[in-house]
Amino acid sequence: MNIQSVHVAILDLPTIRPHQLAMHTITEQAVVVARVRDEEGREGWSEIATIGGASYGESTPEAIKANIDTYLTPHVIGQDPIRFGKIMHDISVHVRGNLHAKALVESAIVDLAARQRNIPAYELFGGKIHDGLPVAWTLASGDTGKDIEEAKEFLRQKRHNIFKLKIGKGDPMKNVGHVLEIQKAVADQARLTVDVNQAWDEDTANQCIPILQDGGISMIEQPLPGWNHEGMARLADRYRVPILADEGATSIQEIFHIAKHRAGNSIALKVGKTGGLTAVKQAAGIAEAAGLGLYGGTMIESDLGTAMTVQLYSTMPPMKFGTELFGPLLFKDSITTNRVEFRDFNVIVPDGPGFGVDVDHEKVEHYSREKGVLA
Ligand code: MUC
Ligand code: MG
């Protein structure tokens, strides 16, 4: 059953609290969803997010939608979804870059191919190794007291025992103090990491990292701008604490470059920035062969995008730093009728057909920026 249509919509989903990063504070997250339909009316769905318009990275929700509508969709119509490798190859010949757009399209096609066969999508990627994956929570309320309260509550609920702190906004030394206070409050039960989101220069990194390292912080994410591979290599060489590349590690070619030059000793995987589910498995292979630690990243997608990613990560060997697939827990509402589950410090791998979650069409319409696109 070949693909008859591709539709893309931007949804604005409110969060339960402000989520503060270096470049943007999220109160409403713009996610992009795609729906592909076959000739029998069967549907495949996917979701990809970016953060803060064009402030986090080059891709924006508006560009993702426009470029799919204009340049990617013609290569998808009339194709057999199970040949998603061929479809994505055809697209790669005609469309440069646009990794988030490619990821969104490939994922919707994979969901459809799996649903046509009534199997979970992870079966198309070698089958799952895990039933659940360790999942971190990001403490990013911007307030030390609130962050400690949040961490203690989630430890009590056995929801998370890995916490990531966003420390790219404001005075670096004050932020280091904030981290150490939280570390003191929860260190006996939890592991803490920090994400600088490219905000430091190398001097600042050399002032802050030794203190964080001595304070017992377990990993430092993207301390320098994404382009500064040489600086990241010097930090990775100088410090014991793992230095993780995120914004600097996008395409498989860039990840190979980081591996070759040790511009970081670990990599954050994300489906959007790398260009799709197949590309993320390739990226993980490069990292594994180079002995780099892996982190199962997110761009804060809701249940649909998270289910997609959980399923894919479930087909990979255990990741050194676990995952941060907490997205659904940060949203006030869900666009699926069944939810991704979290228990015992893990996110549970959905087992239903496709990505294992079913879209709530009314909710999708409700949160769509432009009405009627996916109605
Ligand atoms: C990022 O840079 O890692 C992922 C989790 C979170 O809190 O922010 C995102 C983006
Ligand atoms: Mg990051």
Side-chain angles (χ1 to χ4, degrees), residues 48-69:
I48 287 290
T50 59
I51 291 176
S55 63
Y56 186 98
E58 284 175 11
S59 228
T60 63
E62 296 78 10
I64 293 169
K65 175 172 164 50
N67 287 339
I68 292 175
D69 288 348

Side-chain angles (χ1 to χ4, degrees), residues 5 7 14 48 54 64 75 82 89 93 142 155 158 182 185 195 227 231 246 261 283 298-299 330 342 371:
S5 68
H7 286 95
I48 287 290
I64 293 169
H75 301 287
I82 198 61
H89 172 70
V93 170
L155 282 163
K158 291 197 169 183
I182 298 175
D195 190 355
W227 54 263
D246 181 9
H261 299 283
T298 180
M299 282 297 276
L330 193 67
F342 295 83
K371 300 301 172 196

Side-chain angles (χ1 to χ4, degrees), residues 212-283:
L212 294 168
Q213 179 172 276
D214 291 348
I217 300 311
S218 65
M219 180 258 278
I220 316 279
E221 182 169 339
Q222 199 67 57
L224 304 181
W227 54 263
N228 194 354
H229 289 186
E230 287 181 18
M232 288 284 281
R234 285 188 286 273
L235 299 181
D237 189 46
R238 192 168 298 144
Y239 299 109
R240 244 179 13 256
V241 60
I243 306 290
L244 180 124
D246 181 9
E247 288 92 323
T250 59
S251 62
I252 53 170
Q253 291 80 3
E254 209 163 14
I255 289 167
F256 173 72
H257 189 267
I258 289 172
K260 187 170 174 192
H261 299 283
R262 303 312 273 188
N265 39 36
S266 2
I267 299 280
L269 300 174
K270 287 176 184 171
V271 176
K273 70 174 182 178
T274 307
L277 302 167
T278 304
V280 171
K281 276 210 93 160
Q282 292 171 333

Side-chain angles (χ1 to χ4, degrees), residues 87-342:
I87 301 172
M88 296 317 293
H89 172 70
D90 289 348
I91 288 175
S92 78
V93 170
H94 294 96
V95 181
R96 288 190 195 276
N98 283 282
L99 297 174
H100 289 77
K102 288 172 180 170
L104 188 68
V105 165
E106 187 201 40
S107 306
I109 297 171
V110 165
D111 187 46
L112 178 57
R115 284 173 190 271
Q116 287 179 338
R117 285 157 186 78
N118 203 28
I119 55 170
Y122 56 63
E123 302 288 7
L124 301 176
F125 290 92
K128 66 175 175 173
I129 298 176
H130 318 281
D131 293 319
L133 304 166
V135 61
W137 174 255
T138 300
L139 298 168
S141 72
D143 179 287
T144 310
K146 268 194 202 155
D147 282 357
I148 293 176
E149 240 174 75
E150 223 175 70
K152 287 197 165 160
E153 176 56 22
F154 294 155
L155 282 163
R156 199 190 55 72
Q157 291 176 15
K158 291 197 169 183
R159 215 177 80 173
H160 309 279
N161 56 6
I162 313 165
F163 297 104
K164 159 159 145 177
L165 275 69
K166 292 288 193 185
I167 60 166
K169 184 177 172 153
D171 179 64
M173 274 305 166
K174 254 200 206 156
N175 289 336
V176 168
H178 161 81
V179 174
L180 295 183
E181 248 187 87
I182 298 175
Q183 168 82 355
K184 233 190 284 159
V186 298
D188 53 333
Q189 301 172 72
R191 186 162 68 71
L192 253 57
T193 72
V194 297
D195 190 355
V196 189
N197 283 120
Q198 320 186 62
W200 292 344
D201 60 17
E202 210 170 328
D203 287 338
T204 311
N206 281 317
Q207 281 159 15
C208 297
I209 294 175
I211 307 172
L212 294 168
Q213 179 172 276
D214 291 348
I217 300 311
S218 65
M219 180 258 278
I220 316 279
E221 182 169 339
Q222 199 67 57
L224 304 181
W227 54 263
N228 194 354
H229 289 186
E230 287 181 18
M232 288 284 281
R234 285 188 286 273
L235 299 181
D237 189 46
R238 192 168 298 144
Y239 299 109
R240 244 179 13 256
V241 60
I243 306 290
L244 180 124
D246 181 9
E247 288 92 323
T250 59
S251 62
I252 53 170
Q253 291 80 3
E254 209 163 14
I255 289 167
F256 173 72
H257 189 267
I258 289 172
K260 187 170 174 192
H261 299 283
R262 303 312 273 188
N265 39 36
S266 2
I267 299 280
L269 300 174
K270 287 176 184 171
V271 176
K273 70 174 182 178
T274 307
L277 302 167
T278 304
V280 171
K281 276 210 93 160
Q282 292 171 333
I286 294 168
E288 191 184 338
L292 301 178
L294 284 179
Y295 186 42
T298 180
M299 282 297 276
I300 312 185
E301 289 89 6
S302 71
D303 288 271
L304 175 59
T306 301
M308 248 165 70
T309 313
V310 174
Q311 278 211 355
L312 185 78
Y313 292 169
S314 79
T315 70
M316 298 177 185
M319 295 193 209
K320 181 168 180 175
F321 300 103
T323 79
E324 57 176 14
L325 297 174
F326 63 82
L329 301 167
L330 193 67
F331 292 105
K332 275 193 183 147
D333 199 1
S334 176
I335 58 163
T336 56
T337 53
N338 56 333
R339 306 292 310 270
V340 174
E341 284 176 60
F342 295 83

Side-chain angles (χ1 to χ4, degrees), residues 346-374:
N346 274 243
V347 54
I348 308 304
V349 181
D351 282 320
F355 296 124
V357 288
D358 296 315
V359 161
D360 182 330
H361 294 83
E362 275 175 27
K363 288 279 179 66
V364 168
E365 182 64 7
H366 176 74
Y367 290 110
S368 270
R369 206 174 274 183
E370 198 186 333
K371 300 301 172 196
V373 178
L374 293 175

